[in-house]
Amino acid sequence: MSNAEQTAVPQPPVPKPRGRLGLTGWIFVGLVAGVLVGVLFKLWIPNGFVRDTVFVDGVFYAVGQGFIRLMKMLVAPLVFFSLVCGAAAMEDVAALGKTGGKILGFYLGTTACAICVALSIGFLVRPGVGLDLSQIASSEVAAPQEKVSAAETLLNIIPENPFGAIAGGAMLQVIFFALLVGVLIAKMGSRADAIARVARQCNDLMMEMTALVMKFAPIGVFCILARTFANLGFDAFAPLLKYMAGVVLSLGAQCFIVYSLLLFLFTRLNPIRFFRKFMPVMAFAFSTATSNATIPMNIKLLEERLGVPRKLTSFTIPLGATLNMDGTSIMQGVAVVFAAQAYGIHLGLTGCLTVVATATLASVGTAGIPAVGLVTLSTVFLSVGLPVEAIGLIIGVDRILDMLRTAVNITGDAICTTVVASQNGDLDRARFLADVRDTD
Ligand code: ASP
């Protein structure tokens, strides 16, 4: 079995017993309770030892930061192993020759475009303006960076010591080294079987660890939000709503404008027909927030309703669910603008370009399961010197955005695959144009 096949095994969501609140429900409870308690502290509890030392800067701070540290702990190994496995899957891209190259080009191109859309809309919506997080940040806020020349910036991608890069959390260097390891594993084939298996198992281990850490999310979210709102009162509401609006608008623009244009320009087919027929897959991805679980339905529906041959989809859809996350990178783009504005950090052109590069790679390193995009978001933040603490604030509203972005993630895979099928002359246009009733 190839590396790609082994890394992209769909993981159906485990059904939870009826009537019991799942993790999403508890995170929501944590969110609402955190906001309420924070506002209560701000409005009714006077400053003093109990309010400030025991609660706001004591329990809320320690538990909230504990959760953020757990998230940070995951970043380097999670990104490293998932990129190694992702790059090792390229062995199959090579086997597919031109088609593999084309699909990869579309995947990376649409992701880079998605981040540009997100940054543009983010700068328009200005989600972090009016929120001053610098006053409640921990001591780890990045110091203003010295000006580094473009040549130095590029050179800094190559680690002098890969272990030092992992230890120091230099994410671009970690990404560079991981890609190199993955590509060479693919090239060495059976000679690197053992190391490929170890990488896959480490990747699985990191996924389990992520799931475990996420179990603490409700209490973490509660404490982070209680502290934020105790310090800022209602000032934090509008920025969070604007952040959500920025993400939703960008997801909509990518899905219904960029993808429609792509489909129409390359195939001359009607995007509205595509979306009408593809809606059930989007709905499924939305409700599960899991690209991986959507793979079988995506393949089936693309073949039966849209005429995309299975010989192509059986490769491109699992690959896309592993590597191509346009929706996730959109959330990351808007989150970067939100955090930069809230901490008063100027991104500049170099910063924006770094975000495009790291968020594209972070999307490759994001597994198609719920909430992983938040963990890889740290990579993007660290690459431009933003405090990871800001993630604590947006975690509270992430689940609904996760559902939406997953729907965009899998739509991107389907659109790119349809375009490539049409370019190869493999698309059954009659089936694409047929009425839904005639193809089901
Ligand atoms: N839930 C997303 C997916 O499965 C990944 C993420 O952004 O967290 O595609």
Side-chain angles (χ1 to χ4, degrees):
M1 200 193 273
S2 72
N3 289 336
E5 283 163 320
Q6 291 183 9
T7 49
V9 179
Q11 303 168 1
V14 183
K16 68 177 163 60
R18 266 177 172 278
R20 278 199 26 212
L21 218 50
L23 184 60
T24 310
W26 280 114
I27 291 182
F28 188 72
V29 171
L31 166 99
V32 175
V35 172
L36 287 179
V37 169
V39 170
L40 192 96
F41 267 67
K42 172 83 182 170
L43 298 182
W44 285 296
I45 313 240
N47 288 5
F49 178 75
V50 174
R51 177 197 186 275
D52 298 322
T53 314
V54 176
F55 284 103
V56 178
D57 294 327
V59 179
F60 296 163
Y61 177 71
V63 178
Q65 284 300 310
F67 176 63
I68 289 173
R69 285 183 84 103
L70 283 173
M71 294 275 286
K72 280 181 168 174
M73 171 188 83
L74 300 171
V75 180
L78 182 91
V79 170
F80 180 78
F81 288 114
S82 63
L83 272 181
V84 167
C85 293
M90 295 298 156
E91 143 196 42
D92 295 343
V93 177
L96 266 183
K98 242 173 110 182
T99 303
K102 246 192 241 172
I103 196 76
L104 212 59
F106 274 115
Y107 280 168
L108 294 180
T110 47
T111 305
C113 170
I115 303 159
C116 295
V117 169
L119 287 177
S120 316
I121 294 187
F123 284 121
L124 270 180
V125 174
R126 313 205 308 157
V129 171
L131 180 66
D132 184 7
L133 284 184
S134 53
Q135 49 169 308
I136 56 161
S138 77
S139 54
E140 291 170 60
V141 173
Q145 308 218 321
E146 279 177 31
K147 269 219 166 318
V148 187
S149 72
E152 276 300 318
T153 310
L154 281 179
L155 273 176
N156 270 339
I157 297 176
I158 306 173
E160 286 177 351
N161 172 355
F163 298 103
I166 294 176
M171 290 322 293
L172 272 180
Q173 301 188 348
V174 174
I175 289 171
F176 178 86
F177 188 66
L179 286 178
L180 213 57
V181 172
V183 168
L184 287 177
I185 287 179
K187 187 162 172 274
M188 288 169 69
S190 58
R191 278 190 301 142
D193 266 356
I195 190 101
R197 204 169 46 243
V198 170
R200 273 194 305 273
Q201 290 182 352
C202 288
N203 195 23
D204 290 348
L205 177 75
M206 290 316 299
M207 290 300 149
E208 289 284 328
M209 209 182 281
T210 306
L212 185 69
V213 169
M214 285 314 289
K215 291 214 167 92
F216 294 98
I219 181 86
V221 165
F222 169 80
C223 288
I224 292 164
L225 288 178
R227 181 165 185 261
T228 306
F229 279 86
N231 280 317
L232 298 176
F234 289 107
D235 292 357
F237 268 120
L240 266 182
L241 285 181
K242 276 201 266 172
Y243 161 73
M244 291 178 79
V247 176
V248 174
L249 274 177
S250 310
L251 289 174
Q254 175 78 5
C255 194
F256 298 114
I257 302 176
V258 176
Y259 291 159
S260 295
L261 278 176
L262 197 70
L263 188 73
F264 180 72
L265 291 178
F266 281 97
T267 67
R268 299 281 153 196
L269 289 165
N270 183 351
I272 297 177
R273 185 171 288 271
F274 176 92
F275 283 113
R276 273 207 352 240
K277 290 184 158 189
F278 192 69
M279 218 27 112
V281 190
M282 294 175 76
F284 185 76
F286 173 81
S287 47
T288 59
T290 314
S291 293
N292 279 1
T294 318
I295 293 172
M297 190 175 181
N298 203 346
I299 292 178
K300 184 170 183 299
L301 208 135
L302 275 176
E303 184 183 32
E304 290 173 0
R305 289 190 169 184
L306 293 154
V308 187
R310 193 172 279 251
K311 71 171 195 273
L312 184 66
T313 52
S314 60
F315 161 70
T316 58
I317 296 300
L319 187 75
T322 317
L323 306 182
N324 185 38
M325 306 271 175
D326 299 350
T328 301
S329 53
I330 281 179
M331 174 277 284
Q332 298 184 335
V334 181
V336 162
V337 178
F338 172 75
Q341 291 173 343
Y343 283 100
I345 294 171
H346 180 65
L347 278 179
L349 185 64
T350 324
C352 289
L353 291 177
T354 311
V355 171
V356 174
T358 34
T360 305
L361 291 169
S363 107
V364 174
T366 303
I369 54 174
V372 179
L374 269 187
V375 180
T376 52
L377 176 60
S378 319
T379 319
V380 186
F381 273 24
L382 290 172
S383 73
V384 282
L386 288 173
V388 177
E389 278 63 26
I391 298 178
L393 197 54
I394 57 184
I395 268 186
V397 294
D398 190 66
R399 181 59 190 207
I400 179 77
L401 298 179
D402 192 5
M403 295 161 82
L404 287 168
R405 69 178 179 257
T406 306
V408 175
N409 285 345
I410 54 94
T411 308
D413 305 339
I415 290 275
C416 292
T417 301
T418 310
V419 168
V420 171
S422 161
Q423 288 197 325
N424 289 355
D426 285 337
L427 185 69
D428 182 348
R429 297 176 85 89
R431 193 174 276 263
F432 186 104
L433 294 172
D435 219 67
V436 176
R437 267 168 290 140
D438 300 333
T439 50
D440 276 344

